[in-house]
Amino acid sequence: MPGKKVCIVGSGNWGSSIAKIIGHNVKASNRFDPIVSMWVYEEMIDGRKLTEVINTEHENVKYLPGHKLPKNVIAVPDITEAAKGAKILVFVVPHQFIGKLCDQMKPHIPEGAIGISLIKGVDEGPDGLKLISDIIREKLEIDVSVLMGANIANEVADEKFCETTIGAKNDANGHIFKELLQTPNFRITVVRESDTVELCGALKNIVAVGAGFCDGLNCGDNTKAAVIRLGLMEMIAFAKLFCKGPVSSPTFLESCGVADLITTCYGGRNRKVAEAFVTTSKSIAELEAEMLNGQKLQGPQTSAEVYKILQKRNMVNKFPLFAAVYQICFEGKAHADFTCKANRPPCPRLPRSQDIKGYPGKRRQGEGGGTGFTSFRGHKELPRVPMGELGLAAFTSARLSSSSPRPILGAFIGTRPSQPSFVFAGALVRGKEKQEGTGGEGVAVKAAVVVAVAPVLQSGGEEEENLAGSLAVALHINMG
Ligand SMILES: NC(=O)c1ccc[n+]([C@@H]2O[C@H](COP(=O)([O-])OP(=O)(O)OC[C@H]3O[C@@H](n4cnc5c(N)ncnc54)[C@H](O)[C@@H]3O)[C@@H](O)[C@H]2O)c1
């Protein structure tokens, strides 16, 4: 049986580095056709077409100078010609170009084709988050895996050792891509949580912009480490809120998670341009044009997409670092404020018992007895408690179960003093069912309905009252 044709869609810095690997690997396996087509966005370089330069000198002199590409990688300027008959598609273009390219490719994709996206970015769809792999999957109707990791393109092209992660919903396809892409110096782990892997790749670029601000402001390594840590917390929280599939902590320990975050915050182009943004006061667009020689930035644009998604969900204040990066890049907020803006705890910290026990508020008979959050009218004294994992889970489940567009107001978590091991959590949705004034000063909640309680509140007559107290606390915590 003839080997399957491979088409690389893209030929920038990363696209050309990966073409170098693929060109060598296809020759060593009879699973693949030994001729690889690489779609190149045509441009003129010193009076010659870039495709012509690549096909004669076997070097992408603009995006990966100094590295020879294997001769079996053929540059093709027409996307339909490049993709025709290809059963293995490798997508590696800046994310803003992917939709149009897929539309052009669609009539030429054979039955049974599969794809992998190396693209770092997200889009905003009518339901909130839209992953780039979702766009490809929907437009081409093929299975799509992703590859993300601590992979600065020039270092991969130099064959310096690194690791990377393939996220594959279809395990067999993940392993086909592993065979296509792995080398002794480019080590691949295949995991199932494809959406988490992809989100890590997109979101870390926002954090890298923050790290670049720190460098420009001369904050020092400790502050930068704090920004990276807070950024990781927001990445996890965002993934838990917005991924449709499961999101588990071990995925963040793969190359796509913490390793990519570190390398990008020290070595990548987003960090570099953000540093210059602070030291020169030029706009992001000007710096991208001046400093990157045609390469594209992803961090600022991803921060804009993420900000829109958060705004829609009323959650901007839960992601202070992501929000600050966007506001500084695009809304003229002072970058000098960056560290104090980022210096607020993001939402995903697990609540600790000292957060919720021993609250000094005055206990009032019948006003929420269960949690220690008893005197909601004295809510000014309440401690600020992060939402916590359970609250977050309840929030997510409320979001899924409530019929949109009912706004979600917040989530809560509490314990009973008499039974400290009994933890409950819920989420609040504004609805018509009840008219119940539960708010403290300045917080008018006309109706709050508990839509998700985990674990479900157990028997007992006090619970209604407990909930009233908890609702007020939740509002204080999440809206205050
Ligand atoms: N460079 C890296 O170190 C690296 C590493 C991992 C992932 N990535 C990701 O890979 C993706 C591609 O990045 P890259 O580094 O290969 O590209 P790049 O930023 O180096 O180059 C930009 C590419 O866009 C093309 N282009 C310009 N205008 C276009 C248009 N109108 N339509 C279509 N294409 C156009 C250019 O020809 C060029 O190939 C990005 O999502 C990036 O985040 C990059």
Side-chain angles (χ1 to χ4, degrees), residues 283-303:
S283 73
I284 292 284
E286 280 174 288
L287 291 166
E288 185 180 26
E290 272 177 29
M291 295 175 71
L292 296 185
N293 187 32
Q295 294 188 347
K296 303 286 178 208
L297 268 188
Q298 296 83 35
Q301 200 183 336
T302 305
S303 78

Side-chain angles (χ1 to χ4, degrees), residues 10-17 39-43 50 60 63 91-95 97 100-101 118-121 147-149 151-154 201 204-205 260 269-270 292-298:
S11 55
N13 191 225
W14 187 217
S16 302
S17 303
W39 174 72
V40 174
Y41 178 75
E42 191 68 283
E43 50 193 302
L50 181 57
N60 188 338
Y63 293 102
F91 296 91
V92 55
V93 286
H95 72 284
F97 306 126
K100 192 171 156 216
L101 281 168
L118 280 54
I119 299 170
K120 292 180 173 171
L147 179 145
M148 308 279 147
N151 308 139
I152 303 254
N154 289 326
K204 57 93 196 188
N205 281 330
D260 195 9
R269 60 181 93 154
N270 290 286
L292 296 185
N293 187 32
Q295 294 188 347
K296 303 286 178 208
L297 268 188
Q298 296 83 35

